[in-house]
Amino acid sequence: MSSVIGWCITVMSLLLLAMGTANAQTAATLARIQQDHTILIGHREHEEPFSYVVEGRPIGYSIDICQAVVDSLSARLGGPELSITFVPVTPANRFILLKKGDIDIECGVTTSTAERRRHAAFTYPHFFTATRYVSLEQNALDRIEDLAGRSVVSTTGTLNIEQLNAFNRAQGLNIAVMLSRSHEEAFRMVATGQASAFVMDDILLAGLIASDASPERFHISSEALSDPEPYGLMVRRDDAEFLHWVNEALRELYQSGAMLALYEKWFLSPIPPDQQVLGLPISPQLEAAFANPTAYAE
């Protein structure tokens, strides 16, 4: 009996030691960055125009914002210029990789919600979006009730799935909810008639349509499944110092002319790889967030 108790104590001690080591590794992010001269940036591979890969290199609106943050942190730390290690992330693994310390910042399209802020910290917003759906123009779908009895797809690991399921239950729409591994896969399912609609952030839907060879085939619903919600850069929840300095870097960027230039570059000008133009003017809500980011702090 005593040997069993001793074994249990040993296992518990090892577990506590491992937890303590993990916390120490992730808590002082700035210290680790300063020591390694490297910052770990999580990026998406197909989230035009925010975070995507062209010719093997991550680019996009969120990536440019993160580069400005890295430049600011380099100046603050006063050492050699920080190098960036880019790590691809997905909606399904982004929170896991952040918590494990495999990334320091996620530079993508993650919506900041009260539930998610229980697991990660979010910076001042860099965009606002609402959940809508895309369908084929020929099917004349536009409102949520038009989805009744149809097959509708969304991407695993996203907030949009929860919103779709909530409407389905509340309104008794009898929607057959389908899951996809990526936004591209879900969009193809609509394009090929495998699904009637794809529920996702409206700006991401606009990006997918703009990159299609026949964008006129698609329609984004006028009715939304959510109010406008903020995108923020995501960092670990247990490191208030790092969050503070990332937000300070964003404040400097937002209140300079450089931020509006970045917005124009990615939303009002031709973007790689096909030089499509989203043509999306900045919203009053986003302008207000740039002018006074502290008003949007949680």
Side-chain angles (χ1 to χ4, degrees):
M1 183 69 173
S2 60
S3 62
V4 172
I5 294 174
W7 178 83
C8 290
I9 291 173
T10 300
V11 170
M12 286 296 294
S13 299
L14 290 172
L15 286 173
L16 289 171
L17 178 61
M19 291 172 63
T21 301
N23 288 337
Q25 288 174 341
T26 59
T29 309
L30 274 178
R32 202 274 307 151
I33 291 171
Q34 187 171 28
Q35 177 181 323
D36 297 345
H37 307 302
T38 300
I39 187 165
L40 308 173
I41 299 293
H43 72 93
R44 306 293 184 91
E45 296 186 291
H46 303 285
E47 302 287 15
E48 297 87 342
F50 293 89
S51 180
Y52 61 112
V53 176
V54 172
E55 297 180 354
R57 183 172 65 92
I59 64 171
Y61 175 67
S62 298
I63 298 298
D64 279 359
I65 292 172
C66 276
Q67 180 63 65
V69 169
V70 172
D71 292 343
S72 176
L73 292 177
S74 289
R76 166 173 166 71
L77 294 174
E81 181 178 345
L82 297 176
S83 63
I84 297 175
T85 297
F86 285 106
V87 181
V89 302
T90 68
N93 70 14
R94 53 190 163 174
F95 290 93
I96 297 170
L97 295 181
L98 182 69
K99 188 172 183 179
K100 287 173 57 183
D102 292 339
I103 59 174
D104 297 317
I105 310 177
E106 194 235 6
C107 301
V109 291
T110 299
T111 307
S112 173
T113 67
E115 171 61 27
R116 285 177 169 173
R117 289 190 293 272
R118 294 171 55 192
H119 307 286
F122 288 84
T123 64
Y124 300 142
H126 58 273
F127 198 81
F128 290 88
T129 187
T131 299
R132 302 181 193 271
Y133 68 81
V134 65
S135 61
L136 291 175
E137 179 74 38
Q138 66 188 34
N139 291 338
L141 306 179
D142 188 58
R143 302 188 62 78
I144 296 170
E145 63 190 28
D146 296 335
L147 300 177
R150 294 180 176 270
S151 296
V152 179
V153 64
S154 194
T155 308
T156 299
T158 62
L159 182 65
N160 314 88
I161 285 283
E162 301 170 22
Q163 294 165 335
L164 174 59
N165 285 331
F167 270 96
N168 198 18
R169 289 190 300 268
Q171 299 188 18
L173 297 175
N174 196 32
I175 294 171
V177 177
M178 307 166 68
L179 300 179
S180 67
R181 291 166 296 182
S182 68
H183 301 337
E184 296 69 39
E185 179 183 53
F187 187 70
R188 283 194 301 271
M189 291 172 70
V190 172
T192 57
Q194 298 175 66
S196 295
F198 168 30
V199 170
M200 186 43 57
D201 299 350
D202 51 14
I203 182 58
L204 300 184
L205 296 177
L208 288 164
I209 292 171
S211 62
D212 190 81
S214 303
E216 69 281 357
R217 296 178 59 214
F218 301 95
H219 172 74
I220 296 177
S221 64
S222 62
E223 187 172 14
L225 284 75
S226 74
D227 293 327
E229 296 173 310
Y231 286 159
L233 305 181
M234 188 168 65
V235 300
R236 277 181 287 280
R237 190 171 180 269
D238 58 2
D239 198 335
E241 181 188 25
F242 186 59
L243 174 64
H244 169 75
W245 287 110
V246 173
N247 269 336
E248 284 300 299
L250 291 179
R251 184 201 305 280
E252 294 172 8
L253 176 65
Y254 289 0
Q255 296 182 339
S256 72
M259 190 63 224
L260 294 181
L262 275 185
Y263 188 93
E264 183 172 344
K265 172 184 175 181
W266 291 104
F267 295 98
L268 298 171
S269 305
I271 61 173
D274 301 319
Q275 304 307 306
Q276 73 265 26
V277 180
L278 292 179
L280 183 68
I282 190 169
S283 69
Q285 187 176 22
L286 187 56
E287 275 193 306
F290 290 161
N292 184 22
T294 53
Y296 294 85
E298 292 296 333

